[in-house]
């Protein structure tokens, strides 16, 4: 016969209502009593009926992670999965489930969110930047539904969001190269509409302007964040009459192409040309020599997003728009003092 809430209460020496409050994380129960009851639940192998609990509290204990999926997303956008793992870790601490919902086009995101809310299939939504649209943000604000957007929207909005300061990342990378003694520094980034790349470029330009170091117009390149584009854009830099002493690569994929180009042109890293990129992902370890990186703990950003969403579920009036998780410089073999 299965263990009941009354069995737990009797064994723990408390009332069934106290056990119920502990199951529902009531703040009115002391930590000592809560721990005592949880120990009894574990010893008796008692598992609360989630459906009954959710019905009584009118909650689902489910959070939706809304994103846009495309072929090869795991390679083109590895951030997303680290963020999702961080969100799940935060939610698991409060016994929330995380459901993965994807759209093929950003324009579909608002309709999907509307359906989720209408069906009452979730208590909150975490929106990945790839699925963020103005219509979606406006709908979430008007509906007052608990939400957190990963990445600052590229438009004015009252929606809750959390982001990493990519502008600062670009500054850190540039300052490190200048501190090493490099002056002729180039930047190879993604397309201009890539918000992360654009912010990192702004950080690069700001530091160079502040230090009064000239940046030739042809030292700033943009294209697809791919190895092939990295190779072609680096070729343009290295075939000039005055090639750069250092190159900032906005992504690991770009860096792979840049390293190939440097080798083709008979240069070595870091003796002839230094290299720095962003994000300490496994892909960066495939680059030889191992590159210096400005690392961003996106797992922690996901964890904080999940924690903020739990707070917003409890307090719908909570408004959060913030940068979090400071970038961290990891110096490796691709840069050196000159």
């Amino acid at each position: 016969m299965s263990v009941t809430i009354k069995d737990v209460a009797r064994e723990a020496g408390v009332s069934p209502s106290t056990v119920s409050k502990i199951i529902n994380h009531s703040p009115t129960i002391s930590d000592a009593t809560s721990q005592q009851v949880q120990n009894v639940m574990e010893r008796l192998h008692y598992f609360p009926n989630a459906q009954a609990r959710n019905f009584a509290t009118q909650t689902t204990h489910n959070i939706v992670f809304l994103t846009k999926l495309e072929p090869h997303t795991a390679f083109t956008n590895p951030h997303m999965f680290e963020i999702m793992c961080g969100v799940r870790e935060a939610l698991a601490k409060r016994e929330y489930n995380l459901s993965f919902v994807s759209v093929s086009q950003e324009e579909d995101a608002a309709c999907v969110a509307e359906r989720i809310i209408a069906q009452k299939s979730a208590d909150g939504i975490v929106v990945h930047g790839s699925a963020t649209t103005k219509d979606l943000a406006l709908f979430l604000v008007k509906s007052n539904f608990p939400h957190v957007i990963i990445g600052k929207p590229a438009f004015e909005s009252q929606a809750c969001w959390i982001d990493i300061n990519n502008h600062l990342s670009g500054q850190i990378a540039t300052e490190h190269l200048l501190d090493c003694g490099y002056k002729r520094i180039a930047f190879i980034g993604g397309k201009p509409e890539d918000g992360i790349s654009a912010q990192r470029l702004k950080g690069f330009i700001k530091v160079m302007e502040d230090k009064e170091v000239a940046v030739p117009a042809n030292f700033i390149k943009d294209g697809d964040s791919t190895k092939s584009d990295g190779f072609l854009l680096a070729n343009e830099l290295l075939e000039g009459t005055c090639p750069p002493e250092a190159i900032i690569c906005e992504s690991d994929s770009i860096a792979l192409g840049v390293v190939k180009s440097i080798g083709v042109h008979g240069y070595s890293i870091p003796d002839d040309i230094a290299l720095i990129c962003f994000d300490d992902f496994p892909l960066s370890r495939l680059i030889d020599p191992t590159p210096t990186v400005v690392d961003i703990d996106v797992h922690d950003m996901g964890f904080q997003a999940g924690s903020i969403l739990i707070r917003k579920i409890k307090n719908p009036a909570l408004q959060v728009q913030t940068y979090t998780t400071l970038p961290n410089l990891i110096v490796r073999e691709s840069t050196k003092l000159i």
Side-chain angles (χ1 to χ4, degrees), residues 242-263:
C242 188
E245 299 172 321
I247 301 176
I248 299 176
C249 301
E250 193 276 326
S251 73
D252 290 343
S253 297
I254 290 173
L256 285 169
V258 171
V259 169
K260 179 181 177 181
S261 175
I262 291 173

Side-chain angles (χ1 to χ4, degrees), residues 177-216:
L177 293 176
L178 290 173
D179 288 344
C180 287
Y182 303 104
K183 297 295 183 183
R184 299 196 311 276
I185 304 173
F187 184 99
I188 300 181
K191 293 182 177 179
E193 59 268 25
D194 181 336
I196 292 176
S197 179
Q199 287 300 313
R200 289 171 175 171
L201 174 58
K202 287 181 180 178
F204 162 69
I205 292 173
K206 182 179 189 307
V207 171
M208 296 297 276
E209 289 179 346
D210 289 347
K211 300 292 185 178
E212 298 182 345
V213 180
V215 180

Side-chain angles (χ1 to χ4, degrees), residues 110-122 124-125 136 139-140 143-147:
C111 293
V112 171
E114 185 175 1
R115 184 174 70 247
I116 290 169
I117 296 172
Q119 294 177 340
K120 298 182 178 178
S121 58
I125 297 178
L136 173 61
F139 173 73
L140 291 173
S143 64
N144 198 32
F145 191 72
H147 67 276

Side-chain angles (χ1 to χ4, degrees), residues 23-232:
I23 291 171
N24 291 296
H25 306 289
S26 172
T28 62
I29 307 299
S30 69
D31 291 341
T33 301
S34 178
Q35 187 60 55
Q36 176 191 351
V37 170
Q38 289 174 8
N39 290 341
V40 171
M41 290 169 59
E42 184 176 343
R43 187 169 72 250
L44 297 181
H45 300 286
Y46 172 75
F47 301 98
N49 186 315
Q51 289 186 329
R53 180 184 64 185
N54 294 345
F55 178 79
T57 59
Q58 291 295 294
T59 62
T60 65
H61 266 246
N62 180 54
I63 301 298
V64 164
F65 188 96
L66 181 62
T67 187
K68 177 186 175 184
L69 278 188
E70 297 176 310
H72 311 302
T73 296
F75 296 97
T76 59
N77 193 359
H79 278 158
M80 186 183 71
F81 297 98
E82 278 295 308
I83 291 169
M84 186 167 60
C85 289
V87 172
R88 185 208 164 277
E89 183 178 330
L91 298 180
K93 292 180 179 293
R94 304 298 296 184
E95 298 182 6
Y96 276 84
N97 297 317
L98 182 64
S99 298
F100 189 85
V101 176
S102 66
V103 295
S104 56
Q105 300 293 331
E106 298 97 321
E107 293 76 14
D108 300 332
C111 293
V112 171
E114 185 175 1
R115 184 174 70 247
I116 290 169
I117 296 172
Q119 294 177 340
K120 298 182 178 178
S121 58
D123 298 333
I125 297 178
V126 176
V127 182
H128 185 258
S130 61
T132 302
T133 65
K134 195 170 186 177
D135 287 343
L136 173 61
L138 182 61
F139 173 73
L140 291 173
V141 171
K142 284 189 173 182
S143 64
N144 198 32
F145 191 72
H147 67 276
V148 176
I149 295 174
I150 303 293
K152 181 182 178 182
F155 46 83
E156 291 297 322
S157 174
Q158 296 181 36
C160 289
W161 56 263
I162 185 171
D163 199 1
I164 286 171
N165 194 334
N166 286 295
H167 188 280
L168 178 60
S169 299
Q171 289 180 291
I172 291 173
T174 310
E175 288 171 351
H176 170 67
L177 293 176
L178 290 173
D179 288 344
C180 287
Y182 303 104
K183 297 295 183 183
R184 299 196 311 276
I185 304 173
F187 184 99
I188 300 181
K191 293 182 177 179
E193 59 268 25
D194 181 336
I196 292 176
S197 179
Q199 287 300 313
R200 289 171 175 171
L201 174 58
K202 287 181 180 178
F204 162 69
I205 292 173
K206 182 179 189 307
V207 171
M208 296 297 276
E209 289 179 346
D210 289 347
K211 300 292 185 178
E212 298 182 345
V213 180
V215 180
N218 66 328
F219 270 28
I220 297 177
K221 303 288 186 180
D222 60 69
D224 288 329
S225 294
T226 61
K227 178 181 177 181
S228 58
D229 264 26
F231 176 75
L232 294 174

Side-chain angles (χ1 to χ4, degrees), residues 280-297:
D280 192 27
F281 282 133
L283 180 60
S284 67
R285 306 298 179 90
L286 300 177
I287 300 171
D288 184 27
T290 310
T292 293
V293 299
V294 178
D295 186 36
I296 298 167
D297 191 346

